[in-house]
Amino acid sequence: MVGTTEGHDHSHGSDHGHSHSHDGPSHSHDHHHPSPRGAPGAMDADDDEDVGSPASESAHQATVVATFDSYLRRALSANQRRRGDYYCLSEEHRALLPGYNDLLKQVDEKLRVNGQLVEAMIDSNVFPPDPDAALSAPAPKESDHEKLRSTLRQCVRDWSEQGKQEREETYTPILDALSSYFRDIPIEKKSALKVLVPGAGLGRLAWEIVNAGYSCQANEFSLFMLVASAFILNHTSSKKEFELYPFLHSFSNIRSRTDLLKPILIPDVLPSDIANSRGDFSFAAGTFEEVYKDDQALVHDQPAGVWDSVVTCFFIDTARNIVEYLTRIYTMLKPGGVWINCGPTLWHFENTDGARSIELTLEEVKELAKRIGFTFQEDREIKTSYTSNQLSLLRHQYTAGFWTNCPKS
C-alpha cells in the first residue's frame, strides 16, 4: 500500500505501440491519490487540448470515467459486429465454420468478466470529476478506448505471471544496478535512500524497489494508469484475485481459440506484502516537469538534488523536450546519486499535430547526457517487448538502451 503526495501514458497506446504538492516519500503504504494540482492525466487528452484550467481538468476526468463506464458496451458492440458479419455469410459458408458463433458467445462472457474488473476500478476512482463536469465533457474517442485497453494490457506486464519475462528483461537489470551501485550500504540503512520512478505506469517497478528495501516515489500522469494502479495496490486481498482477458479485443495473430480465451490472473503478488518493508512508498500524480520543477535543496549554500537515484524505464521518449528531461534528472540527483535508464527512443510526440517535439537518435541522447554532466558507468542494449501477448503470432521487439549514469562531481 502506498502513501501519496499531491502533485500535478507512457501509454503510447495505439499511436506508437507500447503503453510507457510533492514532499518526497511519506511513511505510509496507502495508495491514495488526492485531487492533485497540475492536471493529472493531461497527456491522456488530445495534445492540442487545453487541460490546464480546473474546468478542463474536470472535463477530462469525466471523459476518462465515461471511457471506463462504456468499456463493456463498446467491447460487446465490437463482438456483435463479428456476429453480424458471420450471419451475412451464406448458409454454406457458415456451415464451414462450425463453432464460430459459440466462440463469439464465449467472448461475450469473457468481456463481461473484464467489465466487472473495469467497473470495480472506476468505482474506486480517487480522481472523481465535479458532479456537473459530465454535462460538458467530450465523449470518449477511440483513442480513449485504446488507452483503457492499453491499461488492461499493462496489468499483464506489471501484475501477472505472464508478464514475468518482460519484467525480468527490464526491471531485473534496474534492480541489479541499484543493488550494485549501493552495495556498500547495509540493508538496514537502504530505506534512507530515496529513489524516484517517473512514468511509473501501474507501479510494479516502484513496488519492487521498495520491496528491496529502498524508499521510492512513483510518478505517473496518465489518469487511466492512476485509476488502475490505485485499485490494484489498495483493493487486493489475495494473489490472483482478479480474472482478466486483455487480449480479447482482437482476433488477429492468434494461434488457437484456447490461446484467445486464456485468462490472466492478477496480481501475481500481494501488493500489501511490502507493508513490512523498511522503505517508504508514495505515489505522485501529475507530469514529471511540473511535480519536480523545484526538487532541489541547499547543500553548503549551493543547490543540490534530493534524490539518491532516478530510475527511468520506457520513459525518456515521452519527452517533448529531451533536453529538459535530462537536465531535470541531473539537477534532481544528490552528489553521488545515480540515474538508471532502460528504454527505447520511440518519441511519443513525433509527427503529432500541434505538439512540439525534439527527437534524437540513441547515440545523440547519450552525447547529450555527457554534455549535461553525466558520466556513464554502464552502457549496453537490451532486447525486450512491451505489454506483448506472449502467445501471439506477432510480437514487436525493442532494442532498449540501458545505462547507469552519475553526475560529475
Side-chain angles (χ1 to χ4, degrees):
M1 309 293 282
V2 187
T4 312
T5 59
E6 294 191 1
H8 299 223
D9 183 25
H10 189 70
S11 170
H12 285 200
S14 59
D15 296 329
H16 297 287
H18 77 263
S19 339
H20 230 288
S21 85
H22 161 67
D23 312 320
S26 58
H27 187 67
S28 169
H29 292 287
D30 291 324
H31 184 82
H32 299 307
H33 289 85
S35 297
R37 301 179 297 274
M43 304 300 256
D44 292 328
D46 290 343
D47 299 317
D48 58 352
E49 187 177 334
D50 177 15
V51 291
S53 69
S56 58
E57 288 179 28
S58 193
H60 174 61
Q61 291 168 344
T63 299
V64 171
V65 170
T67 305
F68 276 80
D69 286 342
S70 60
Y71 165 79
L72 182 58
R73 180 171 66 253
R74 189 174 183 88
L76 290 174
S77 176
N79 203 42
Q80 181 63 21
R81 188 274 307 162
R82 296 188 184 98
R83 187 174 285 107
D85 291 348
Y86 170 74
Y87 279 108
C88 284
L89 299 177
S90 65
E91 288 189 18
E92 292 80 6
H93 285 185
R94 292 202 302 272
L96 294 172
L97 298 173
Y100 188 78
N101 196 40
D102 289 336
L103 170 65
L104 297 182
K105 291 179 181 178
Q106 292 181 71
V107 170
D108 280 345
E109 294 173 1
K110 307 306 183 187
L111 289 172
R112 290 189 176 93
V113 173
N114 283 358
Q116 293 173 359
L117 178 59
V118 169
E119 182 180 8
M121 287 178 174
I122 202 60
D123 283 348
S124 64
N125 179 22
V126 293
F127 290 108
D130 292 337
D132 296 333
L135 299 176
S136 58
K141 301 176 182 178
E142 172 55 26
S143 59
D144 296 307
H145 293 290
E146 175 54 29
K147 289 183 177 76
L148 177 53
R149 293 190 291 265
S150 176
T151 300
L152 296 180
R153 295 192 295 271
Q154 186 79 21
C155 290
V156 180
R157 174 180 171 85
D158 266 14
W159 296 104
S160 79
E161 290 181 351
Q162 287 82 351
K164 182 178 180 180
Q165 179 178 336
E166 288 188 0
R167 294 195 301 272
E168 288 183 340
E169 290 168 347
T170 54
Y171 296 177
T172 298
I174 289 171
L175 294 167
D176 289 345
L178 272 174
S179 178
S180 175
Y181 189 80
F182 295 112
R183 59 186 176 275
D184 294 331
I185 306 297
I187 183 65
E188 64 272 12
K189 294 184 178 180
K190 284 190 175 180
S191 61
L193 299 173
K194 294 171 55 178
V195 181
L196 174 66
V197 181
L202 297 187
R204 180 60 177 267
L205 176 56
W207 185 93
E208 293 286 357
I209 290 171
V210 175
N211 198 42
Y214 306 90
S215 290
C216 184
Q217 181 164 97
N219 165 233
E220 179 57 49
F221 55 71
S222 168
L223 192 49
F224 291 92
M225 297 286 189
L226 290 166
V227 169
S229 64
F231 177 79
I232 293 171
L233 289 166
N234 283 331
H235 298 276
T236 301
S237 57
S238 61
K239 295 180 183 179
K240 301 182 179 180
E241 182 175 352
F242 305 107
E243 190 172 322
L244 176 63
Y245 299 85
F247 304 111
L248 206 57
H249 307 104
S250 172
F251 284 18
S252 297
N253 298 306
I254 302 298
R255 177 175 284 106
S256 68
R257 292 183 181 181
T258 299
D259 288 355
L260 179 67
L261 299 172
K262 185 177 179 64
I264 304 291
L265 300 178
I266 62 169
D268 63 316
V269 295
L270 189 59
S272 60
D273 281 350
I274 62 165
N276 295 324
S277 170
R278 294 174 181 267
D280 299 329
F281 191 7
S282 60
F283 228 101
T287 66
F288 173 63
E289 299 95 327
E290 284 298 312
V291 174
Y292 303 100
K293 62 183 177 182
D294 299 316
D295 238 29
Q296 287 185 311
L298 289 178
V299 177
H300 301 303
D301 297 324
Q302 297 296 319
V306 297
W307 297 94
D308 296 284
S309 179
V310 176
V311 169
T312 53
C313 185
F314 277 70
F315 173 71
I316 63 172
D317 55 353
T318 66
R320 296 172 186 260
N321 179 356
I322 184 61
V323 182
E324 169 67 18
Y325 264 31
L326 298 200
T327 54
R328 182 66 51 82
I329 292 171
Y330 185 86
T331 59
M332 293 172 69
L333 286 168
K334 293 179 180 178
V338 62
W339 169 34
I340 302 172
N341 176 74
C342 181
T345 52
L346 180 59
W347 301 105
H348 185 83
F349 292 102
E350 184 174 18
N351 299 322
T352 299
D353 290 342
R356 292 184 298 274
S357 176
I358 302 297
E359 299 100 25
L360 303 180
T361 66
L362 180 62
E363 290 300 321
E364 288 172 331
V365 171
K366 291 190 283 189
E367 288 302 315
L368 171 62
K370 293 175 184 176
R371 291 190 201 102
I372 290 171
F374 284 104
T375 57
F376 282 74
Q377 292 198 337
E378 182 179 6
D379 181 11
R380 59 189 172 98
E381 294 179 349
I382 290 176
K383 303 286 188 182
T384 188
S385 56
Y386 195 97
T387 65
S388 175
N389 181 358
Q390 300 297 316
L391 300 178
S392 175
L393 300 176
L394 175 65
R395 294 177 60 194
H396 296 285
Q397 184 182 70
Y398 293 95
T399 299
F402 180 88
W403 57 71
T404 59
N405 251 330
C406 300
K408 292 179 181 177
S409 56

Coordinates of all heavy atoms in Angstrom, one line a residue, residues 213-274:
G213 N 14.0 -2.8 -0.2 CA 14.5 -2.1 1.0 C 14.7 -0.6 0.9 O 14.9 0.1 1.8
Y214 N 14.5 0.0 -0.4 CA 14.7 1.4 -0.6 C 13.4 2.1 -0.3 O 12.3 1.5 -0.3 CB 15.1 1.7 -2.0 CG 16.4 0.9 -2.5 CD1 16.2 -0.4 -3.1 CD2 17.6 1.4 -2.3 CE1 17.3 -1.1 -3.5 CE2 18.8 0.7 -2.7 CZ 18.6 -0.5 -3.3 OH 19.7 -1.2 -3.7
S215 N 13.5 3.4 -0.2 CA 12.3 4.3 -0.2 C 12.1 4.8 -1.7 O 13.0 5.1 -2.3 CB 12.4 5.5 0.7 OG 12.4 5.1 2.0
C216 N 10.8 4.7 -2.1 CA 10.6 5.0 -3.5 C 9.3 5.8 -3.7 O 8.3 5.6 -3.1 CB 10.5 3.7 -4.3 SG 10.3 4.0 -6.1
Q217 N 9.4 6.8 -4.6 CA 8.2 7.5 -5.1 C 8.0 7.2 -6.5 O 8.9 7.4 -7.4 CB 8.4 9.0 -4.9 CG 7.1 9.8 -5.3 CD 7.1 11.2 -4.7 OE1 7.5 12.1 -5.4 NE2 6.7 11.3 -3.5
A218 N 6.8 6.8 -6.8 CA 6.3 6.6 -8.2 C 5.6 7.8 -8.7 O 4.9 8.5 -7.9 CB 5.4 5.4 -8.3
N219 N 5.9 8.2 -9.9 CA 5.2 9.4 -10.5 C 4.6 9.0 -11.8 O 5.2 8.3 -12.7 CB 6.3 10.5 -10.8 CG 5.8 11.6 -11.7 OD1 6.4 11.9 -12.7 ND2 4.6 12.2 -11.4
E220 N 3.3 9.3 -12.0 CA 2.6 9.0 -13.2 C 1.5 10.0 -13.5 O 1.0 10.6 -12.6 CB 1.8 7.6 -13.0 CG 1.0 7.1 -14.2 CD 1.8 7.0 -15.4 OE1 2.9 6.4 -15.4 OE2 1.4 7.6 -16.5
F221 N 1.4 10.3 -14.8 CA 0.4 11.4 -15.2 C -0.8 10.8 -15.9 O -1.8 11.5 -16.0 CB 1.1 12.4 -16.0 CG 1.8 11.9 -17.3 CD1 1.0 11.4 -18.4 CD2 3.1 11.9 -17.4 CE1 1.7 10.9 -19.5 CE2 3.8 11.5 -18.5 CZ 3.1 11.0 -19.5
S222 N -0.8 9.6 -16.4 CA -2.0 9.0 -17.1 C -3.1 8.7 -16.1 O -2.9 7.9 -15.2 CB -1.6 7.8 -17.8 OG -2.7 7.1 -18.3
L223 N -4.2 9.3 -16.2 CA -5.3 9.1 -15.3 C -5.8 7.6 -15.4 O -6.3 7.0 -14.5 CB -6.5 10.0 -15.6 CG -7.6 10.1 -14.6 CD1 -7.1 10.3 -13.2 CD2 -8.5 11.3 -14.9
F224 N -5.7 7.1 -16.6 CA -6.1 5.7 -16.8 C -5.2 4.8 -15.9 O -5.7 3.9 -15.2 CB -5.9 5.2 -18.3 CG -6.9 5.9 -19.2 CD1 -6.7 7.1 -19.8 CD2 -8.2 5.3 -19.4 CE1 -7.6 7.7 -20.7 CE2 -9.1 5.8 -20.3 CZ -8.8 7.0 -20.9
M225 N -3.9 5.0 -16.0 CA -3.0 4.3 -15.2 C -3.2 4.5 -13.7 O -3.1 3.6 -12.9 CB -1.5 4.6 -15.5 CG -1.1 4.3 -17.0 SD -0.9 2.5 -17.2 CE -0.2 2.5 -18.9
L226 N -3.4 5.7 -13.3 CA -3.6 6.1 -11.9 C -4.8 5.4 -11.3 O -4.8 4.9 -10.2 CB -3.7 7.6 -11.7 CG -2.4 8.4 -12.0 CD1 -2.8 9.9 -12.1 CD2 -1.4 8.2 -10.9
V227 N -5.9 5.3 -12.1 CA -7.1 4.7 -11.6 C -6.8 3.2 -11.4 O -7.2 2.6 -10.3 CB -8.3 4.9 -12.6 CG1 -9.5 4.0 -12.2 CG2 -8.7 6.3 -12.5
A228 N -6.2 2.6 -12.4 CA -5.9 1.1 -12.3 C -4.9 0.8 -11.2 O -5.1 -0.2 -10.5 CB -5.5 0.6 -13.6
S229 N -3.9 1.6 -11.1 CA -2.8 1.3 -10.1 C -3.4 1.4 -8.7 O -3.1 0.6 -7.8 CB -1.6 2.1 -10.3 OG -1.9 3.5 -10.1
A230 N -4.2 2.5 -8.4 CA -4.8 2.7 -7.1 C -5.7 1.5 -6.7 O -5.7 1.0 -5.6 CB -5.6 4.0 -7.1
F231 N -6.4 1.0 -7.7 CA -7.2 -0.2 -7.4 C -6.4 -1.4 -7.1 O -6.7 -2.1 -6.1 CB -8.1 -0.5 -8.6 CG -9.0 -1.7 -8.4 CD1 -10.2 -1.6 -7.7 CD2 -8.6 -2.9 -9.0 CE1 -10.9 -2.8 -7.5 CE2 -9.4 -4.1 -8.8 CZ -10.6 -4.0 -8.0
I232 N -5.4 -1.7 -7.9 CA -4.6 -2.9 -7.6 C -3.9 -2.8 -6.3 O -3.8 -3.8 -5.5 CB -3.6 -3.2 -8.8 CG1 -4.4 -3.5 -10.1 CG2 -2.6 -4.3 -8.5 CD1 -3.5 -3.6 -11.3
L233 N -3.3 -1.7 -6.0 CA -2.5 -1.6 -4.8 C -3.3 -1.5 -3.6 O -2.8 -1.9 -2.5 CB -1.6 -0.3 -5.0 CG -0.4 -0.4 -6.0 CD1 0.2 0.9 -6.3 CD2 0.6 -1.4 -5.5
N234 N -4.5 -1.0 -3.7 CA -5.3 -0.7 -2.5 C -6.5 -1.7 -2.2 O -7.0 -1.7 -1.2 CB -5.9 0.7 -2.5 CG -4.9 1.7 -2.1 OD1 -3.9 1.5 -1.4 ND2 -5.0 2.9 -2.7
H235 N -6.9 -2.4 -3.3 CA -8.1 -3.2 -3.2 C -7.9 -4.6 -3.5 O -8.8 -5.3 -4.0 CB -9.2 -2.6 -4.1 CG -9.6 -1.2 -3.7 ND1 -10.5 -0.9 -2.7 CD2 -9.1 0.0 -4.2 CE1 -10.6 0.4 -2.6 NE2 -9.8 1.0 -3.5
T236 N -6.7 -5.1 -3.3 CA -6.4 -6.5 -3.5 C -6.2 -7.2 -2.1 O -5.4 -6.7 -1.3 CB -5.1 -6.7 -4.3 OG1 -5.3 -6.0 -5.6 CG2 -4.8 -8.1 -4.6
S237 N -6.9 -8.3 -1.9 CA -6.8 -9.0 -0.7 C -6.1 -10.4 -0.8 O -5.7 -11.0 0.2 CB -8.2 -9.2 -0.1 OG -9.0 -9.9 -1.0
S238 N -5.9 -10.8 -2.1 CA -5.2 -12.1 -2.2 C -4.5 -12.2 -3.6 O -4.9 -11.4 -4.5 CB -6.2 -13.3 -2.1 OG -7.2 -13.2 -3.1
K239 N -3.6 -13.1 -3.8 CA -2.9 -13.2 -5.1 C -4.0 -13.8 -6.1 O -4.9 -14.6 -5.7 CB -1.8 -14.2 -5.0 CG -0.6 -13.7 -4.1 CD 0.5 -14.8 -4.1 CE 1.7 -14.4 -3.2 NZ 2.7 -15.4 -3.2
K240 N -3.8 -13.4 -7.3 CA -4.6 -13.9 -8.4 C -6.1 -13.7 -8.2 O -6.9 -14.6 -8.5 CB -4.3 -15.4 -8.7 CG -2.8 -15.6 -9.1 CD -2.5 -17.1 -9.4 CE -1.1 -17.3 -9.8 NZ -0.8 -18.7 -10.1
E241 N -6.4 -12.6 -7.5 CA -7.8 -12.4 -7.1 C -8.7 -12.0 -8.3 O -9.9 -12.3 -8.3 CB -7.8 -11.2 -6.1 CG -9.2 -10.9 -5.5 CD -9.1 -9.8 -4.5 OE1 -8.0 -9.5 -4.0 OE2 -10.2 -9.4 -4.0
F242 N -8.2 -11.4 -9.3 CA -9.0 -10.9 -10.4 C -8.6 -11.6 -11.7 O -7.5 -11.8 -12.1 CB -8.8 -9.4 -10.6 CG -9.0 -8.6 -9.3 CD1 -7.9 -8.1 -8.6 CD2 -10.3 -8.5 -8.8 CE1 -8.1 -7.4 -7.4 CE2 -10.5 -7.8 -7.6 CZ -9.4 -7.2 -6.9
E243 N -9.7 -11.9 -12.5 CA -9.6 -12.6 -13.8 C -9.7 -11.5 -14.9 O -10.5 -10.6 -14.8 CB -10.7 -13.6 -13.9 CG -10.5 -14.6 -15.1 CD -11.5 -15.7 -15.0 OE1 -11.8 -16.2 -13.9 OE2 -12.1 -16.0 -16.1
L244 N -8.8 -11.7 -15.9 CA -8.8 -10.6 -16.9 C -8.5 -11.3 -18.3 O -7.7 -12.3 -18.3 CB -7.7 -9.6 -16.6 CG -7.3 -8.5 -17.6 CD1 -8.5 -7.6 -17.7 CD2 -6.1 -7.7 -17.1
Y245 N -9.1 -10.7 -19.3 CA -8.8 -11.2 -20.7 C -8.4 -10.0 -21.5 O -9.2 -9.5 -22.4 CB -10.1 -11.9 -21.3 CG -10.5 -13.1 -20.5 CD1 -11.3 -12.9 -19.4 CD2 -10.1 -14.3 -20.9 CE1 -11.7 -14.0 -18.6 CE2 -10.5 -15.5 -20.1 CZ -11.3 -15.3 -19.0 OH -11.7 -16.4 -18.3
P246 N -7.2 -9.5 -21.4 CA -6.8 -8.2 -22.0 C -6.5 -8.3 -23.5 O -6.4 -7.2 -24.2 CB -5.5 -7.8 -21.2 CG -5.0 -9.2 -20.9 CD -6.1 -10.1 -20.6
F247 N -6.4 -9.5 -24.1 CA -6.1 -9.6 -25.5 C -7.3 -10.1 -26.3 O -7.1 -10.5 -27.4 CB -4.9 -10.6 -25.6 CG -3.7 -10.2 -24.9 CD1 -3.3 -11.0 -23.8 CD2 -3.0 -9.1 -25.2 CE1 -2.1 -10.6 -23.0 CE2 -1.8 -8.7 -24.5 CZ -1.4 -9.5 -23.4
L248 N -8.4 -10.0 -25.7 CA -9.6 -10.5 -26.4 C -10.2 -9.5 -27.4 O -11.2 -9.8 -28.0 CB -10.7 -10.8 -25.3 CG -11.7 -11.8 -25.6 CD1 -11.1 -13.1 -25.9 CD2 -12.6 -12.0 -24.3
H249 N -9.7 -8.3 -27.4 CA -10.3 -7.2 -28.3 C -9.9 -7.4 -29.7 O -10.4 -6.6 -30.6 CB -9.8 -5.9 -27.7 CG -10.1 -5.7 -26.3 ND1 -9.1 -5.8 -25.3 CD2 -11.3 -5.5 -25.6 CE1 -9.7 -5.6 -24.1 NE2 -11.0 -5.5 -24.2
S250 N -9.0 -8.3 -30.0 CA -8.6 -8.5 -31.4 C -8.4 -10.0 -31.6 O -7.8 -10.7 -30.8 CB -7.3 -7.7 -31.8 OG -6.8 -8.1 -33.0
F251 N -8.8 -10.5 -32.8 CA -8.7 -11.9 -33.1 C -7.4 -12.1 -34.0 O -7.1 -13.3 -34.4 CB -9.9 -12.4 -33.9 CG -11.1 -12.7 -33.0 CD1 -11.2 -12.2 -31.7 CD2 -12.1 -13.5 -33.4 CE1 -12.3 -12.4 -30.9 CE2 -13.2 -13.8 -32.6 CZ -13.3 -13.2 -31.4
S252 N -6.7 -11.1 -34.3 CA -5.6 -11.2 -35.2 C -4.4 -11.8 -34.6 O -4.1 -11.6 -33.4 CB -5.2 -9.8 -35.7 OG -6.2 -9.2 -36.5
N253 N -3.6 -12.6 -35.3 CA -2.4 -13.2 -34.9 C -2.6 -14.1 -33.7 O -1.7 -14.2 -32.8 CB -1.3 -12.2 -34.6 CG -1.0 -11.3 -35.8 OD1 -0.6 -11.9 -36.9 ND2 -1.1 -10.0 -35.7
I254 N -3.7 -14.8 -33.6 CA -4.0 -15.8 -32.5 C -3.8 -17.2 -33.1 O -4.4 -17.5 -34.1 CB -5.4 -15.5 -32.0 CG1 -5.5 -14.1 -31.4 CG2 -5.6 -16.6 -30.9 CD1 -4.6 -13.8 -30.3
R255 N -3.1 -18.0 -32.4 CA -2.8 -19.4 -32.8 C -4.1 -20.3 -32.7 O -4.4 -21.1 -33.5 CB -1.7 -20.0 -32.1 CG -1.4 -21.5 -32.5 CD -0.1 -22.0 -31.8 NE 1.1 -21.5 -32.4 CZ 1.9 -20.5 -31.9 NH1 1.6 -20.0 -30.7 NH2 2.9 -20.1 -32.6
S256 N -4.8 -20.2 -31.6 CA -5.9 -21.1 -31.3 C -6.9 -20.4 -30.4 O -6.7 -19.4 -29.8 CB -5.4 -22.3 -30.6 OG -4.9 -22.0 -29.3
R257 N -8.1 -21.0 -30.4 CA -9.2 -20.5 -29.5 C -8.8 -20.6 -28.1 O -9.2 -19.7 -27.2 CB -10.5 -21.2 -29.8 CG -11.1 -20.9 -31.2 CD -12.4 -21.7 -31.4 NE -12.9 -21.4 -32.7 CZ -14.1 -21.8 -33.2 NH1 -14.8 -22.6 -32.4 NH2 -14.5 -21.5 -34.4
T258 N -8.0 -21.6 -27.7 CA -7.6 -21.8 -26.4 C -6.7 -20.6 -26.0 O -6.9 -20.0 -24.9 CB -6.8 -23.1 -26.2 OG1 -7.6 -24.2 -26.5 CG2 -6.2 -23.2 -24.8
D259 N -5.8 -20.2 -26.9 CA -5.0 -19.0 -26.6 C -5.8 -17.7 -26.5 O -5.6 -16.9 -25.6 CB -4.0 -18.8 -27.7 CG -2.9 -19.8 -27.7 OD1 -2.8 -20.7 -26.7 OD2 -2.0 -19.9 -28.6
L260 N -6.8 -17.6 -27.3 CA -7.7 -16.4 -27.3 C -8.4 -16.3 -26.0 O -8.6 -15.2 -25.5 CB -8.7 -16.5 -28.5 CG -9.7 -15.3 -28.6 CD1 -8.9 -14.0 -29.0 CD2 -10.7 -15.6 -29.7
L261 N -8.9 -17.4 -25.5 CA -9.8 -17.4 -24.3 C -9.0 -17.6 -23.0 O -9.6 -17.8 -21.9 CB -10.8 -18.4 -24.4 CG -11.8 -18.3 -25.6 CD1 -12.7 -19.5 -25.8 CD2 -12.6 -17.0 -25.5
K262 N -7.7 -17.6 -23.1 CA -6.9 -17.9 -21.9 C -7.0 -16.8 -20.9 O -6.7 -15.6 -21.2 CB -5.4 -18.1 -22.3 CG -4.5 -18.6 -21.1 CD -3.1 -18.8 -21.6 CE -2.2 -19.2 -20.5 NZ -2.6 -20.5 -19.8
P263 N -7.3 -17.0 -19.6 CA -7.4 -15.9 -18.7 C -6.0 -15.5 -18.1 O -5.1 -16.3 -18.1 CB -8.3 -16.6 -17.6 CG -7.9 -18.0 -17.6 CD -7.7 -18.3 -19.1
I264 N -6.0 -14.3 -17.7 CA -4.8 -13.7 -17.0 C -5.3 -13.5 -15.5 O -6.4 -12.9 -15.4 CB -4.3 -12.4 -17.6 CG1 -3.9 -12.6 -19.1 CG2 -3.1 -11.9 -16.8 CD1 -2.7 -13.5 -19.3
L265 N -4.6 -13.9 -14.6 CA -4.9 -13.7 -13.2 C -4.0 -12.7 -12.5 O -2.8 -12.8 -12.6 CB -4.9 -15.0 -12.4 CG -5.8 -16.1 -12.9 CD1 -5.6 -17.4 -12.1 CD2 -7.3 -15.7 -12.9
I266 N -4.6 -11.7 -11.9 CA -3.8 -10.6 -11.3 C -4.3 -10.4 -9.9 O -5.4 -10.7 -9.6 CB -3.8 -9.3 -12.1 CG1 -5.3 -8.8 -12.2 CG2 -3.3 -9.5 -13.5 CD1 -5.4 -7.4 -12.7
P267 N -3.4 -10.0 -9.0 CA -1.9 -9.8 -9.2 C -1.2 -11.1 -8.9 O -1.7 -12.0 -8.2 CB -1.6 -8.7 -8.2 CG -2.5 -8.9 -7.1 CD -3.8 -9.4 -7.7
D268 N 0.0 -11.2 -9.3 CA 0.8 -12.4 -9.0 C 1.5 -12.4 -7.7 O 2.0 -13.4 -7.2 CB 1.9 -12.7 -10.1 CG 2.9 -11.5 -10.2 OD1 2.5 -10.4 -10.1 OD2 4.1 -11.8 -10.3
V269 N 1.5 -11.2 -7.1 CA 2.0 -11.0 -5.7 C 1.0 -10.2 -5.0 O 0.1 -9.5 -5.6 CB 3.4 -10.2 -5.7 CG1 4.5 -11.1 -6.3 CG2 3.3 -8.9 -6.3
L270 N 1.0 -10.2 -3.7 CA 0.1 -9.4 -2.9 C 0.7 -8.1 -2.6 O 1.7 -8.0 -1.9 CB -0.3 -10.1 -1.6 CG -1.4 -9.5 -0.7 CD1 -2.7 -9.5 -1.5 CD2 -1.6 -10.3 0.6
P271 N 0.2 -7.0 -3.2 CA 0.8 -5.7 -3.0 C 1.1 -5.3 -1.6 O 2.1 -4.6 -1.3 CB -0.2 -4.7 -3.7 CG -0.8 -5.6 -4.7 CD -1.0 -6.9 -4.1
S272 N 0.2 -5.7 -0.7 CA 0.4 -5.3 0.7 C 1.5 -6.0 1.4 O 1.9 -5.7 2.6 CB -0.9 -5.6 1.5 OG -1.3 -6.9 1.5
D273 N 2.2 -6.9 0.7 CA 3.3 -7.7 1.3 C 4.5 -6.7 1.6 O 5.4 -7.1 2.4 CB 3.8 -8.8 0.4 CG 2.9 -10.0 0.5 OD1 2.0 -10.1 1.4 OD2 3.0 -10.9 -0.3
I274 N 4.5 -5.5 1.0 CA 5.6 -4.6 1.3 C 5.4 -3.8 2.6 O 6.2 -2.9 2.9 CB 5.9 -3.7 0.2 CG1 4.7 -2.8 -0.1 CG2 6.4 -4.4 -1.1 CD1 5.1 -1.6 -1.0

